[in-house]
Amino acid sequence: MDNTLVRLDILASEEAAEDVVGVLAMLAEDGWEEDDLPTGETRFRVHSEDSAFAERLEGALRSLPGDVQIERSAIARQDWTSTWRQFFTPVVCGDFVVLPPWLSHCEEARGRKPIVIEPKSAFGTGHHATTALCLGAISSLLEQGRLRAGQSFLDLGTGSGVLGIGCCLSGLRGVGTDIDALAVENARENAALNHVSGLEILPGSTEAVRGRTFDLVVANILAQPLMALAADIVALRGEHGALVLSGLLEIQADGVEAAYAAQGMPPARRLVNGEWCALVWA
């Protein structure tokens, strides 16, 4: 057996990232790695033992419009299961801790609400700063009594379902939506893994819940869609409801906040983690 794998490193602009995800979702059945960069670009990484598959995938990616850069290389095989287990360490976010199944009884889980996430494809594991910011904001709102058990929530762009699961573990009930079919599947698996009830996962975006309102709307997506969806998101926020937005760099916060000010929202409270930011209205 050949002891090398083909690796494709893909760097996509913010505008091209969604197209890249579409190609990967269709062709990269074994999944991929994904990392949002402070520049707004997204870096994807795909490994394969099939060089013919790698060539097909590279060809499909190079045919995309927009700025997509691809680098192909050969690397030695590794024990990928062991590598993943070393990387996915517990992440403490306020009253929550996000961890993989094999660490569900670790020291960090004691006295906190454990959110168990099965690492799969490229969906959130709690390691990204924006996920931590959102969970920290939700934890703070619960501690302040601003959010209470029995209230409703919307997790827009749910990904792995981590934020929605955290809300359900706190006694809220609500909906998670995502435009990526693989994310919808992954979120449903993680909801079952955490034995949560009251979490409905739907394909789509704001249109999937149009006409409804929620006590909490949380959207951890990107600055551009946050601005484009400002009117829809504000309409989904119930009277006196809380709103938590992230997925944006601190340098993008003024532009995003201005889009919501245009919808009648007051100034937001800002939470910052490195170069990343969350906007909170509560």
Side-chain angles (χ1 to χ4, degrees), residues 59-144:
L61 291 168
R62 291 196 183 280
S63 69
L64 292 174
D67 186 7
V68 180
Q69 302 173 41
I70 305 168
E71 181 178 342
R72 179 172 175 168
S73 57
I75 62 169
R77 289 180 180 271
Q78 300 179 38
D79 182 349
W80 294 108
T81 301
S82 174
T83 301
W84 277 55
R85 289 189 173 223
Q86 291 175 26
F87 176 75
F88 288 106
T89 54
V91 181
V92 176
C93 311
D95 194 34
F96 302 100
V97 57
V98 186
L99 33 74
W102 57 87
L103 293 176
S104 58
H105 300 292
C106 68
E107 181 69 27
E108 289 86 348
R110 295 182 182 177
R112 295 188 174 91
K113 298 169 186 171
I115 303 172
V116 180
I117 297 296
E118 182 68 58
K120 188 173 282 191
S121 293
F123 308 114
T125 60
H127 287 79
H128 198 280
T130 59
T131 307
L133 285 168
C134 290
L135 280 174
I138 293 168
S139 180
S140 178
L141 293 172
L142 288 162
E143 184 179 346
Q144 296 163 13

Side-chain angles (χ1 to χ4, degrees), residues 214-252:
F214 301 87
D215 297 304
L216 167 68
V217 177
V218 56
N220 183 24
I221 47 180
L222 294 173
Q224 187 173 348
L226 284 174
M227 291 187 286
L229 293 171
D232 288 348
I233 290 174
V234 170
L236 292 167
R237 171 182 169 266
E239 187 177 6
H240 309 304
L243 177 60
V244 178
L245 306 179
S246 196
L248 59 142
L249 295 162
E250 187 178 9
I251 59 173
Q252 298 171 317

Side-chain angles (χ1 to χ4, degrees), residues 205-218:
S205 182
T206 53
E207 80 287 345
V209 287
R210 185 168 291 131
R212 300 173 63 175
T213 58
F214 301 87
D215 297 304
L216 167 68
V217 177
V218 56

